């Protein structure tokens, strides 16, 4: 972090992020269509489903594939598993130690063992849901363009319900804990950007919206957003165009833009907690994560309750041909956009 001062006045700040370029775009050139979701999943070990789902949706648009409602429900269930495990990890091991004055989740566990153990169990439940639906917890292998290679049995999913119901209660306790943290008095006029769906909290589908009034279909994304190379960093910097302004994505932005689409329990707990939304204090995003974890548990329970038999078709067949498609979903840490040309 480079900061230039003139007396007590901050004149310039640069954050240098040294992340070696991995050239995923180049790696995909010349590969088979059905290899793409498994390759892009390797971009992140915590949220591989986000890359798989975004890739599948974009490629399906390029191929003209429409999945069935049953496949759509299973995909949403899969995303619930990712949000649960990712948010549980982020809250308990990455974020809470900072608020409570510990260098890591390991040192925090010495004084707050029960909370850390609860967080690890919550993460494990999310991983188990990924395993049943995706074949394994890390980089699932059951996801493909058009649906799934195989669908889970009713018995395997129903067996998860006791843990999911415990997780719903436990995630409410997590919100109660984190909402009482001592948050810095901080207010930033963010432009909050997220996917928004008319009828459900955003995961797989919706329009791209912002708190400043943007409301566009995903196909217009590149007319309003652009990635920039900055000389001091190998990480790409994304801006709103043509103004070249910054914006915020992630749990706080989703909460601000999509509060009314929360599940009943998540909305009730959000309204009752000590933090008021909309919020422009990004320190409070830890509470937004906890609320989204409640939402994910409740939705997973609902979807599994409706799963009375595996769908007749697990995968819509495709006829590979030239085409182009784009899509955006909501990864646990914010909006993700892919565009592919076949």
């Amino acid at each position: 972090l480079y900061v230039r001062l003139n007396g007590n006045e901050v004149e310039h700040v640069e954050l240098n992020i040294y992340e070696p370029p991995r050239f995923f775009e180049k790696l995909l050139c010349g590969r088979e269509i059905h290899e793409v979701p498994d390759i892009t999943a390797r971009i992140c070990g915590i949220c591989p489903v986000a890359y798989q789902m975004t890739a599948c949706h974009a490629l399906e648009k390029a191929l003209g594939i429409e999945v069935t409602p049953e496949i759509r429900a299973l995909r949403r269930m899969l995303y619930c598993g990712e949000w649960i495990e990712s948010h549980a990890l982020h809250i308990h091991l990455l974020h809470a130690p900072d608020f409570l004055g510990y260098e890591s989740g390991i040192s925090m566990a010495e004084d707050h063992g029960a909370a850390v153990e609860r967080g690890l169990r919550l993460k494990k439940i999310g991983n188990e849901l990924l395993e049943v639906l995706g074949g394994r917890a890390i980089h699932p292998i059951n996801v493909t363009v058009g649906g799934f290679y195989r669908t889970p049995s009713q018995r395997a999913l129903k067996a998860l319900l006791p843990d999911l119901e415990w997780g719903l209660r436990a995630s409410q306790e997590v919100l109660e804990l984190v909402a009482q943290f001592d948050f810095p008095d901080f207010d930033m006029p963010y432009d909050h950007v997220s996917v928004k769906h008319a009828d459900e909290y955003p995961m797989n589908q919706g329009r791209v919206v912002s708190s400043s009034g943007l409301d566009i279909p995903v196909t217009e994304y590149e007319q309003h957003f652009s990635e920039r190379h900055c000389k001091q960093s190998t990480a790409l910097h994304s801006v709103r165009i043509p103004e070249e302004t910054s914006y915020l994505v992630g749990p706080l932005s989703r909460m601000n833009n999509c509060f009314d689409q929360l599940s009943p329990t998540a909305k009730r707990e959000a309204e009752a907690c000590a933090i008021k939304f909309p919020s422009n204090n990004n320190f409070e995003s830890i509470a937004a994560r906890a609320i989204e974890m409640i939402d994910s548990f409740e939705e997973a329970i609902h979807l599994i309750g409706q799963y009375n038999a595996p769908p007749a078709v697990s995968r819509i067949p495709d006829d590979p041909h030239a085409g182009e498609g784009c899509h955006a979903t909501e990864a646990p840490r914010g909006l993700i956009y892919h565009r592919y040309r076949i």
Side-chain angles (χ1 to χ4, degrees), residues 145-332:
V145 176
F148 294 84
Y149 289 110
R150 62 170 178 80
T151 50
S153 69
Q154 180 187 11
R155 181 180 178 182
L157 280 176
K158 301 283 187 187
L160 298 176
L161 282 174
D163 275 345
L164 290 168
E165 287 162 356
W166 176 88
L168 178 60
R169 297 188 297 271
S171 55
Q172 293 173 58
E173 296 171 3
V174 172
L175 174 61
E176 187 177 349
L177 170 69
V178 301
Q180 300 299 325
F181 283 168
D182 184 16
F183 296 104
D185 184 14
F186 180 81
D187 187 84
M188 178 69 69
Y190 293 113
D191 189 11
H192 296 277
V193 173
S194 72
V195 171
K196 184 174 185 177
H197 192 279
D199 306 316
E200 60 193 18
Y201 201 71
M203 282 185 182
N204 283 58
Q205 291 171 306
R207 295 170 66 85
V208 177
V209 303
S210 79
S211 56
S212 62
L214 183 72
D215 187 346
I216 58 169
V218 175
T219 50
E220 296 179 13
Y221 179 89
E222 292 178 61
Q223 299 173 29
H224 297 269
F225 299 89
S226 182
E227 291 180 334
R228 297 282 186 265
H229 286 275
C230 296
K231 64 179 182 179
Q232 83 276 8
S233 178
T234 54
L236 289 168
H237 291 239
S238 192
V239 295
R240 286 280 307 273
I241 54 176
E243 298 89 356
E244 299 278 327
T245 52
S246 61
Y247 58 97
L248 185 72
V249 298
L252 193 68
S253 294
R254 287 191 295 260
M255 284 287 295
N256 286 346
N257 291 340
C258 311
F259 191 91
D260 289 339
Q261 282 75 32
L262 284 166
S263 67
T265 303
K267 190 173 183 180
R268 183 191 71 226
E269 294 296 318
E271 290 172 339
C273 82
I275 295 168
K276 300 307 173 189
F277 298 96
S279 167
N280 280 323
N281 185 344
N282 204 23
F283 290 99
E284 295 175 345
S285 65
I286 190 171
R289 279 193 167 84
I291 293 165
E292 288 191 335
M293 193 160 58
I294 297 170
D295 181 274
S296 298
F297 272 111
E298 186 162 34
E299 175 139 17
I301 292 167
H302 172 72
L303 290 170
I304 292 174
Q306 293 184 321
Y307 191 76
N308 297 317
V313 177
S314 64
R315 172 182 171 189
I316 306 301
D318 61 83
D319 177 24
H321 57 79
E324 188 168 341
C326 63
H327 195 74
T329 77
E330 281 289 342

Side-chain angles (χ1 to χ4, degrees), residues 41 44-54 76 78-91 94-95 123 126-127 130 193-195 201-204 248-255 282 285-293 296 328-337:
C44 181
I46 298 174
C47 52
V49 171
Y51 297 93
Q52 290 184 320
M53 285 293 94
T54 313
R76 197 161 170 84
L78 181 71
Y79 230 143
C80 285
E82 172 150 290
W83 277 30
I84 290 167
E85 62 87 13
S86 177
H87 283 345
L89 179 146
H90 195 120
I91 290 169
L94 303 181
H95 210 169
K123 185 185 187 310
N127 284 345
L130 290 181
V193 173
S194 72
V195 171
Y201 201 71
M203 282 185 182
N204 283 58
L248 185 72
V249 298
L252 193 68
S253 294
R254 287 191 295 260
M255 284 287 295
N282 204 23
S285 65
I286 190 171
R289 279 193 167 84
I291 293 165
E292 288 191 335
M293 193 160 58
S296 298
T329 77
E330 281 289 342
R333 286 162 189 78
L335 185 149
I336 175 173
Y337 170 83

Side-chain angles (χ1 to χ4, degrees), residues 135-150:
R136 63 187 186 195
I138 308 300
H139 302 316
I141 52 175
N142 191 34
V143 177
T144 186
V145 176
F148 294 84
Y149 289 110
R150 62 170 178 80

